[in-house]
Amino acid sequence: MVLFGVAKNVLRNHDRSLSRSAGLVGALRLERVHGTPAEGSAMRDAIDRLAPKEREVLLLTYWDGLTAVEVSHLLNTSATAVRMHLHRTRKELGRILHEQTVSEGATE
């Protein structure tokens, strides 16, 4: 019984992670479809706040559509390192976007 509970929680966490990732990817794609984002765009501001290496991995993956292996060749690192770096970058981007949402809500 405990094993089923653990498996259920793991699946829930995975689903939440996929949902957050899909939201961020969707926002990035919207920015790409509409061309250069308008000044003051929340997504653009959040991406600009990332460290240069984080921004590079994120944009190569989602903007240019490269795989982890392709990004690893460009950055001279392993695909595993790229995936780990991308995971951390998405978490950081989500945190920044959350901060922006909270601060915007507080000022209005």
Side-chain angles (χ1 to χ4, degrees), residues 83-100:
R83 285 189 289 273
M84 183 181 296
H85 200 69
L86 185 60
H87 172 73
R88 290 177 183 157
T89 301
R90 285 192 309 247
K91 283 177 67 173
E92 177 66 12
L93 186 61
R95 185 191 64 74
I96 291 169
L97 287 169
H98 179 71
E99 275 182 8
Q100 288 177 344

Side-chain angles (χ1 to χ4, degrees), residues 54 57 92:
E54 293 174 331
V57 169
E92 177 66 12

Side-chain angles (χ1 to χ4, degrees), residues 29-81:
R29 285 193 177 136
L30 277 175
E31 297 246 348
R32 184 176 187 189
V33 167
H34 293 106
T36 305
E39 196 65 33
S41 163
M43 181 59 69
R44 186 80 238 156
D45 291 345
I47 291 171
D48 287 342
R49 288 180 56 191
L50 292 172
K53 181 146 180 127
E54 293 174 331
R55 188 171 36 250
E56 181 177 33
V57 169
L58 186 78
L59 293 177
L60 285 171
T61 302
Y62 293 113
W63 194 270
D64 295 325
L66 300 178
T67 66
V69 173
E70 293 168 329
V71 173
S72 71
H73 290 305
L74 287 172
L75 301 179
N76 198 26
T77 188
S78 71
T80 303

